[in-house]
Amino acid sequence: MSEPQVVVITGANRGIGLELARHYAREGCEVIGVCRRSSDELAAVANQVIDGVDVTTDAGIDALKTGLAGKSISLLINNAGLLQDEQLGNIDFDSIRTQMEINAYAPLRVTEALVPQIREGGKIANITSRMGSIADNDSGGRYGYRASKAALNAFGKSLAVDLKPRGIAVAQLHPGYVKTRMVNFGGLITPEESAKGLAERIANLNLENSGSFWHSNGEELPW
């Protein structure tokens, strides 16, 4: 029998990350959940939980590498994120910096640290947002969130180019407007529905379409 695929998910303790963990566990994958604080729900489904990890810090990245030592990774899902709001005339630049650290820099930190362990034919899925689309912005505001997700999209596109010779495909995926704590459970779809769509996009990811920006429903989004 072949070895199970190893799936590493950041921000896996709740919401979309948790539902992705459940999905890949049902698929028979070895699921490794990464988070700052674990949850009973994640512990029940993951093969391994690496908690206490702040992916915005060197110490957090070192702890992640230690926890994953010897693992050959099939799929890395950079899911951890933060949404805050800033309005013109009352912009909190510390808030913007924090969102840039968590939403953009952290996925790049994680990816750079783990690339040596991602097998040929492996995949990286960056959970971004259509709010990172400049062409799609018709409502303004959300300065930090929009900028950080646009930066993540740019990082992901460069990663797709740089990793293609190594046989690793990269996608930027918008989960939809999901009923999670991030949006006070307002959303239009459930985390389960979002995870199903995201997993379908990941399954269809290959070196030919690597670097694309998709909605979980399959729609290709504008930059």
Side-chain angles (χ1 to χ4, degrees):
M1 294 179 65
S2 60
E3 292 287 324
Q5 291 197 327
V6 175
V7 179
V8 177
I9 307 170
T10 68
N13 57 317
R14 66 182 189 227
I16 297 167
L18 177 61
E19 291 305 326
L20 285 167
R22 287 171 171 154
H23 172 87
Y24 286 106
R26 288 193 297 269
E27 294 286 305
C29 299
E30 179 179 346
V31 175
I32 302 175
V34 181
C35 52
R36 286 185 297 170
R37 290 180 296 278
S38 188
S39 63
D40 292 341
E41 292 84 358
L42 177 60
V45 71
N47 298 85
Q48 179 183 355
V49 176
I50 307 174
D51 60 2
V53 174
D54 182 346
V55 289
T56 69
T57 67
D58 291 341
I61 297 300
D62 288 343
L64 178 59
K65 290 168 66 176
T66 298
L68 290 170
K71 294 291 184 182
S72 178
I73 299 167
S74 307
L75 170 61
L76 168 63
I77 303 178
N78 287 307
N79 168 70
L82 175 69
L83 169 65
Q84 294 183 335
D85 192 13
E86 304 83 29
Q87 298 295 330
L88 189 62
N90 189 31
I91 292 179
D92 181 345
F93 286 93
D94 286 336
S95 169
I96 292 177
R97 291 186 189 96
T98 298
Q99 288 172 92
M100 290 296 294
E101 286 285 352
I102 294 172
N103 296 341
Y105 303 155
L108 186 59
R109 279 176 176 266
V110 170
T111 301
E112 184 177 46
L114 298 184
V115 154
Q117 295 176 238
I118 300 176
R119 64 182 62 168
E120 184 176 356
K123 300 178 181 183
I124 299 169
N126 294 316
I127 306 303
T128 181
S129 171
R130 75 183 304 157
M131 290 183 72
S133 167
I134 294 172
D136 189 62
N137 183 358
D138 59 5
S139 58
R142 301 284 187 184
Y143 287 87
Y145 193 72
R146 289 187 186 279
S148 62
K149 291 299 189 178
L152 176 58
N153 290 349
F155 291 159
K157 179 64 177 180
S158 284
L159 286 168
V161 173
D162 292 341
L163 294 176
K164 188 172 185 178
R166 300 178 59 166
I168 299 171
V170 183
Q172 284 63 248
L173 301 177
H174 169 58
Y177 186 29
V178 188
K179 298 175 182 178
T180 64
R181 186 178 304 178
M182 179 179 279
V183 295
N184 294 318
F185 303 99
L188 297 175
I189 61 174
T190 65
E192 295 87 348
E193 290 169 322
S194 176
K196 180 176 183 293
L198 291 169
E200 289 173 357
R201 305 288 75 73
I202 292 168
N204 292 328
L205 173 62
N206 56 53
L207 292 178
E208 284 65 48
N209 58 28
S210 182
S212 297
F213 179 19
W214 286 304
H215 192 297
S216 61
N217 66 13
E219 175 190 358
E220 188 161 5
L221 296 172
W223 298 107

